Structures are given as structure tokens and as C-alpha cells.
Amino acid sequence: MSILSIIKVGGKVVEETASLQKLLNDFVKLPGFKVLVHGGGRSATKISEKLGIETKMVNGRRITDEETLKVVTMVYAGLVNKNIVASLQARNCNAIGLSGADLDLIRAVKRPVKDIDYGFVGDVVSVQTNEVSKLIADGVVPVIAPITHDGSGLLLNTNADTMASSMAKALASSFSVNLVYCFEKPGVMMDQNDEKSVIKELSFDEFKKLQDNGTIVEGMIPKLDNGFAALDSGVKNVIITNTNGLAGGNFSGTILVK
Amino acid sequence: MSILSIIKVGGKVVEETASLQKLLNDFVKLPGFKVLVHGGGRSATKISEKLGIETKMVNGRRITDEETLKVVTMVYAGLVNKNIVASLQARNCNAIGLSGADLDLIRAVKRPVKDIDYGFVGDVVSVQTNEVSKLIADGVVPVIAPITHDGSGLLLNTNADTMASSMAKALASSFSVNLVYCFEKPGVMMDQNDEKSVIKELSFDEFKKLQDNGTIVEGMIPKLDNGFAALDSGVKNVIITNTNGLAGGNFSGTILVK
């Protein structure tokens, strides 16, 4: 099977011109087929502020009321996505920007209200890879914005990490998939203050041990839960790194192992 | 050759929920393959206002400074485009939203400054239909936002009428193309106050006569210039109508004839 690298990058990297251009230089050099999944939260917060819409976050997640949904749709699927696409085209990389609504790629269900009402936030329910697989096999590079739809016309704000792992799992039957989470640290670290303490290989059991003893905390937990689930569903490699880890396509950082 | 209908609709129709839903109900019933090209100017003006960005229009064209380019990218390619796509998916129509940057679909050049500096406005220079033709032949329905790119990473605000005719011309070698311009009137009228005065068939010579004597004025002139150019380039039918003219797929209104 052909190699497909699905690279998820956080908002900050793609929202600043210099870091975006460096990222894309490394990204286009990756061997094999490629998908980029991006965020855009900082721009969404800035635009919301200018529009007089208050940004409410709970546990690092954006509470998405009707006006905020409009902002994230504009910013993620419009401003951030199309600028990345145009920048890739300038590098002779035939990119296509997609939300989960396009090609019915990713359907989600509006998150049920329990303790917290997250508003128009979607939890992924299905991935339709029929058309996107053909595009990828043709050398087209999908650039995915973290917006999904519910199949009834409603757009939903959706976690980009989850979208990346959902895509990876769904494409694992057609491609040999590398799922790479790029965030601000060079990998999963034993000591948050020591970048040399990156764990090279992490098993699920070791992850749970480090979660129990408080070494692995906060946003890294759902990222790793998503990552191990992808590994269990046939994704070849799952790597946690920062954008420096992309250079040369060696994917340095933490690799998840079974 | 298979029939492909390229429907261009103005901003107002797609920016109000009721008229959008009616349009899409008629649109999905059209026989054959389909493309929708849309505007979004009213929403762009509204969002600009809320962001404190002044909207400047000259001869009905938006002067697009750097901040306005961000707004039109967000609104056209994000908010308006993705809502149309999600609404089509809800009708079991496998839509894909595209700007001119996606798939390198439409390249433009930043308009040279003569009397007026339009800013980041693009004039179409090329259309790349390789990938989009395959999608169309697979039954996918492209929904095109009026944003292009220059091939060097710059996005450009581009006239939706011109994008529709450029697409029509480029696809005329692969499909039997109907190009349908939907606007607020039922067709080209001899008397602007009498909707019954719609000209059923209009030749280029007759158009120029009616332009010279002042019967055809303003925005209709570039629309017809675009339309006749498309007809000369192998587009099968060019029709000027309003959204009522779509119902049943008969395309009532004014048909351009050679």
C-alpha cells in the first residue's frame, strides 16, 4: 500500500506567516501522499473579539453558540484554510481545502448536553472516504478544516485531533497511514521542563501508568487516547512531535507502540 | 456528451435562509451534472461593518484592501460556501465547496491599477479542470466561491459572473454546458418596469443595438459580454433568468443565440 502521512498542526503554527511558511516548506517535502489537518483557534478568538462576541472556553474547549459557529466556519474553513491552500499551490502542491461537509467527508452529531452545554460542537460519527481517496491517489493534498456537518444542514465545530484520527482510521484500509500530531513540544516528555526527556517509544500500558502518576496531563491525554485508538484500528504509525519533527520526513518525537 | 448545468446565483438569494432553501430545492432537481457559483456581497458588507472596515464600491465593484480581502475570503469561501454545501448534503447532493485556489481551479492576476486601484481583485487568467472534471463525472457537485489565487500564494477577490463563464468555457470540451445566470429579474427586458417584456432570444447584434440605444445598461452589459463570449467558446446554451427560471429545469428567461 502507498504511504499516506496525515499531519495535524495546531492553530498557532498555521496562523503566523513565518511559522506557516516554514511548516509548508517541510510539509511539501514529505515523501508519499499527504493530508494536512489544521486548527485556527487564535484567529477565531481575535475575530470574535472584534465582532464583540465573547469567547467562552471550558476545559480548553470553545463553547460554540450560534454567532461563534459563524466565526469558526468563516475563520477555519475560509480564512485559514484558503490561505494554506494558496500557499501550497504556490509550492506546486495541488491542495484542496475541505471541511467535513465537503464530499460528506466527516459527519458528526451535536454533542448531547450533560454537565456543560458546548453548543454547536460535533462528535464524529462517520467518515466517507470514497471521493477523497481518489483525490489522494491522484496526488491531490487535502487540507482539512475542523468543521463537520450533521447531515441535516447543520455545521458543527469539531476537535481537529479527533478529525485527524478519524480520517487516519478510515483511510487505513487504502493506505499505509502515518498519523502525526504536531504540537508545541518535541514529543511526550517525562519532565515538562526538559525537552531532552522526550519518550521515544510509548506503549498504551506505559501511557496509562504515566497518566495515573500525573506525568501525562491535560490536552495530551485525549491526543494519546485518539492516537492509541488509531493504532488499534490499523493506522501504521502514530507520532507526537512538533513541527521541527517533520523536517526530512523522519518524524522524530514520540512514537506510539502496541 | 453529458449535460452540465453551471448555475450562477447572486449573493442575496444565497444569503437569506428562505430563498436559499427554495433555490437548492430547485437546483438539486435539475437533470444532469451541476455546478453552483455563488456570491456573498451582502454578508461581506455586514461583517465588514461589524469589524469597523469601511466598504468602498466603485461601479458596483468592491475595492478590496488587505482587511477586506480577509473578510471576503472568510465570508465567501467559509460562511456562505460551507452553509450551501451542508444544505446540499442534507438533500443527498454530494457537494464540494471550492475556491479558485483549491485544485488550482482558477488562477487570476491582480488587476493592474489604471484610473482606479481595486486592490486585491483578480482577473481570471486560467482554469484547470483536470480534477474537477473527474469529480463532476462522479456525480459530485462543485459549489464555487468567488475567490481565486495568483499561483504565488495570494488570494484575490474575483467577479462571480466571470468565474462562472470561465468555468463554462473550460468545461465545454468535456460536457454539453448550460450556463445560467440567475439574477433578480426574469431575463433581459425591453422595459425595466414590465416583467412581461422579457426578450426570449437575444443575438449579439441585437444586444449591441439595445446597448447603443440605452435599453440594456449597467450590470447586464458585462453579464451579456461574458455570456456571448462563452457561447463563442463552445458553451451550448447561455440563459439569463431569475431563480424561478430554474424550476423544472426548463430555464425560462432570455436565451442567447448566435
Side-chain angles (χ1 to χ4, degrees):
Chain A
M1 286 199 287
S2 303
I3 293 171
L4 170 67
S5 296
I6 300 179
I7 313 292
K8 191 268 165 174
V9 285
K12 196 177 177 186
V13 174
V14 297
E15 292 172 275
E16 288 170 11
T17 307
S19 57
L20 173 63
Q21 300 311 320
K22 186 193 167 302
L23 167 75
L24 298 183
N25 286 338
D26 291 333
F27 178 76
V28 296
K29 284 181 202 147
L30 293 177
F33 298 129
K34 294 178 276 286
V35 170
L36 187 66
V37 182
H38 64 83
R42 284 165 186 80
S43 300
T45 299
K46 259 190 248 170
I47 302 269
S48 291
E49 200 173 292
K50 284 191 192 167
L51 290 170
I53 301 163
E54 194 191 343
T55 296
K56 288 182 209 146
M57 307 287 282
V58 175
N59 302 330
R61 298 291 164 92
R62 190 177 300 267
I63 303 288
T64 308
D65 61 13
E66 204 178 329
E67 290 305 307
T68 303
L69 178 63
K70 286 184 193 168
V71 171
V72 295
T73 302
M74 292 197 298
V75 172
Y76 300 167
L79 188 62
V80 175
N81 189 269
K82 298 313 168 197
N83 273 298
I84 295 173
V85 169
S87 294
L88 285 172
Q89 291 291 353
R91 289 166 171 81
N92 292 314
C93 169
N94 196 10
I96 184 170
L98 298 172
S99 72
D102 301 292
L103 299 173
D104 197 16
L105 186 60
I106 304 183
R107 284 199 190 203
V109 63
K110 187 170 178 289
R111 186 171 299 168
V113 179
K114 290 179 192 163
D115 299 345
I116 299 156
D117 182 358
Y118 285 97
F120 295 101
V121 162
D123 293 318
V124 174
V125 290
S126 65
V127 182
Q128 172 55 264
T129 59
N130 189 28
E131 291 297 333
V132 86
S133 294
K134 291 184 205 172
L135 287 167
I136 292 168
D138 259 7
V140 172
V141 174
V143 177
I144 314 285
I147 297 288
T148 57
H149 76 132
D150 74 345
S152 302
L154 188 66
L155 295 165
L156 292 164
N157 184 13
T158 300
N159 181 266
D161 285 357
T162 312
M163 286 181 72
S165 64
S166 301
M167 290 272 298
K169 287 188 268 186
L171 289 163
S173 56
S174 312
F175 299 93
S176 173
V177 176
N178 297 317
L179 171 62
V180 184
Y181 285 115
C182 286
F183 79 133
E184 56 282 10
K185 301 286 172 67
V188 183
M189 302 194 297
M190 288 298 287
D191 173 357
Q192 294 310 307
N193 300 315
D194 179 7
E195 298 217 335
K196 285 179 189 146
S197 73
V198 169
I199 303 165
K200 296 278 177 206
E201 293 193 348
L202 182 65
S203 69
F204 186 75
D205 289 347
E206 183 69 10
F207 158 44
K208 286 298 156 187
K209 243 184 262 171
L210 294 171
Q211 182 182 347
D212 287 345
N213 74 19
T215 306
I216 295 176
V217 292
E218 294 175 353
M220 185 52 78
I221 296 167
K223 215 179 281 282
L224 287 172
D225 276 327
N226 272 325
F228 281 106
L231 207 61
D232 276 344
S233 300
V235 173
K236 188 108 184 277
N237 295 300
V238 180
I239 296 118
I240 316 277
T241 184
N242 59 11
T243 53
N244 292 329
L246 290 186
N250 295 316
F251 303 135
S252 61
T254 301
I255 183 158
L256 309 195
V257 293
K258 284 199 185 179
Chain B
M1 283 199 290
S2 304
I3 293 171
L4 170 67
S5 296
I6 300 179
I7 313 293
K8 191 270 167 174
V9 287
K12 197 178 176 185
V13 174
V14 297
E15 290 173 277
E16 288 170 9
T17 308
S19 56
L20 173 62
Q21 301 310 318
K22 187 194 167 302
L23 166 75
L24 298 183
N25 286 337
D26 291 335
F27 177 76
V28 296
K29 285 182 200 145
L30 293 176
F33 298 129
K34 293 178 278 283
V35 170
L36 188 66
V37 182
H38 65 84
R42 284 165 186 80
S43 300
T45 300
K46 257 190 253 173
I47 302 268
S48 292
E49 201 173 291
K50 284 190 193 169
L51 290 170
I53 301 164
E54 195 190 344
T55 296
K56 288 182 209 146
M57 307 286 283
V58 174
N59 302 328
R61 298 291 166 96
R62 189 178 301 268
I63 305 287
T64 308
D65 61 13
E66 204 178 330
E67 289 304 306
T68 302
L69 179 63
K70 286 183 192 170
V71 172
V72 295
T73 302
M74 291 198 296
V75 171
Y76 300 166
L79 188 62
V80 175
N81 190 270
K82 297 313 167 196
N83 273 297
I84 295 173
V85 168
S87 294
L88 285 171
Q89 292 289 354
R91 288 165 172 82
N92 293 313
C93 170
N94 196 11
I96 185 169
L98 299 172
S99 72
D102 301 292
L103 299 173
D104 197 16
L105 187 61
I106 304 183
R107 283 199 190 204
V109 63
K110 187 170 179 290
R111 186 172 298 169
V113 178
K114 291 177 191 165
D115 299 344
I116 298 156
D117 183 358
Y118 285 96
F120 295 101
V121 162
D123 293 318
V124 174
V125 290
S126 65
V127 182
Q128 171 55 262
T129 59
N130 189 27
E131 290 297 333
V132 86
S133 293
K134 291 185 205 173
L135 287 167
I136 293 168
D138 259 6
V140 172
V141 174
V143 177
I144 315 284
I147 298 288
T148 56
H149 76 130
D150 74 346
S152 303
L154 188 65
L155 295 166
L156 292 164
N157 184 13
T158 301
N159 182 266
D161 285 357
T162 312
M163 286 182 71
S165 64
S166 301
M167 290 272 298
K169 286 188 268 188
L171 290 164
S173 56
S174 312
F175 299 93
S176 174
V177 176
N178 298 317
L179 171 62
V180 184
Y181 285 115
C182 285
F183 79 133
E184 53 289 2
K185 302 285 172 68
V188 184
M189 301 193 297
M190 289 298 287
D191 173 356
Q192 294 309 306
N193 299 313
D194 179 7
E195 299 218 334
K196 285 178 188 145
S197 73
V198 168
I199 303 165
K200 296 279 179 205
E201 293 192 348
L202 182 65
S203 69
F204 186 76
D205 290 348
E206 184 68 10
F207 159 44
K208 286 297 155 190
K209 242 184 261 173
L210 293 172
Q211 182 181 347
D212 287 344
N213 74 18
T215 305
I216 295 176
V217 291
E218 295 175 352
M220 184 53 77
I221 295 166
K223 215 179 281 283
L224 286 172
D225 277 326
N226 271 325
F228 280 106
L231 207 60
D232 277 344
S233 301
V235 173
K236 186 106 185 277
N237 295 299
V238 180
I239 295 118
I240 315 276
T241 184
N242 57 12
T243 53
N244 293 327
L246 290 186
N250 296 314
F251 303 135
S252 61
T254 301
I255 184 159
L256 309 194
V257 292
K258 283 200 183 177

